[in-house]
Amino acid sequence: MELNIAKCLVISYTRSNTARPLDYSLNGSPLKVVDRVRDLGVIMTPSLSPYEHIMHVTNKASSMLGFIARTCKDFRSPSTLAILYKTLVRRLLEYCSVVWSPYQVGHIVLLNRVQVRCLRLLGVKLGYNYLATPVAEIEMLYGM
């Protein structure tokens, strides 16, 4: 099997604050040492904490939700917005979640914030005030 040396990276997973500097090479070419790597869309760090990945995912999902809200502001049907959320935004939040499974409350709150924002946007379409939207009711109504 041939490897593309330009795409090969070295990352050390350790509990220590400083990793041992080791020089790795492949076919005589030195490999680049990095402190984070993205593999199949999942960002991995030496501590194996999912925080950086969750931040990346929530930023991307929030950006997509903002795009949907801007382009669909004239839509009258909240169910259409719910379908767009489920197909375009939720897939970003759930991709490879079994690998980086959020277990800390802070991580779960970051991910849930995107969904609450969508539920509030749906609430506005239903006639509620943005901050006074009954999030739990709308979540049950649209199966989110």
Side-chain angles (χ1 to χ4, degrees), residues 2-108:
E2 287 190 35
L3 298 174
N4 185 345
I5 297 172
K7 292 182 179 182
C8 293
L9 303 170
V10 174
I11 185 168
S12 297
Y13 298 101
T14 179
R15 290 183 181 182
S16 172
N17 290 338
T18 57
R20 295 181 185 152
L22 298 173
D23 295 325
Y24 291 96
S25 63
L26 188 62
N27 294 335
S29 298
L31 297 177
K32 183 178 176 184
V33 179
V34 295
D35 61 347
R36 67 186 48 81
V37 65
R38 185 173 176 176
D39 189 21
L40 298 175
V42 178
I43 298 172
M44 304 296 286
T45 60
S47 66
L48 292 176
S49 169
Y51 179 75
E52 283 192 42
H53 178 73
I54 289 172
M55 289 303 297
H56 174 74
V57 165
T58 55
N59 288 337
K60 197 171 179 181
S62 184
S63 175
M64 179 62 75
L65 183 58
F67 173 75
I68 291 170
R70 284 189 309 276
T71 57
C72 303
K73 64 183 173 193
D74 296 328
F75 283 19
R76 300 217 190 280
S77 171
S79 60
T80 304
L81 291 176
I83 291 170
L84 286 172
Y85 170 80
K86 290 176 185 177
T87 56
L88 299 175
V89 178
R90 191 191 286 178
R91 70 176 181 88
L92 296 172
L93 295 172
E94 293 178 350
Y95 178 73
C96 279
S97 61
V98 294
V99 173
W100 53 269
S101 180
Y103 57 92
Q104 293 180 347
V105 174
H107 296 163
I108 295 168

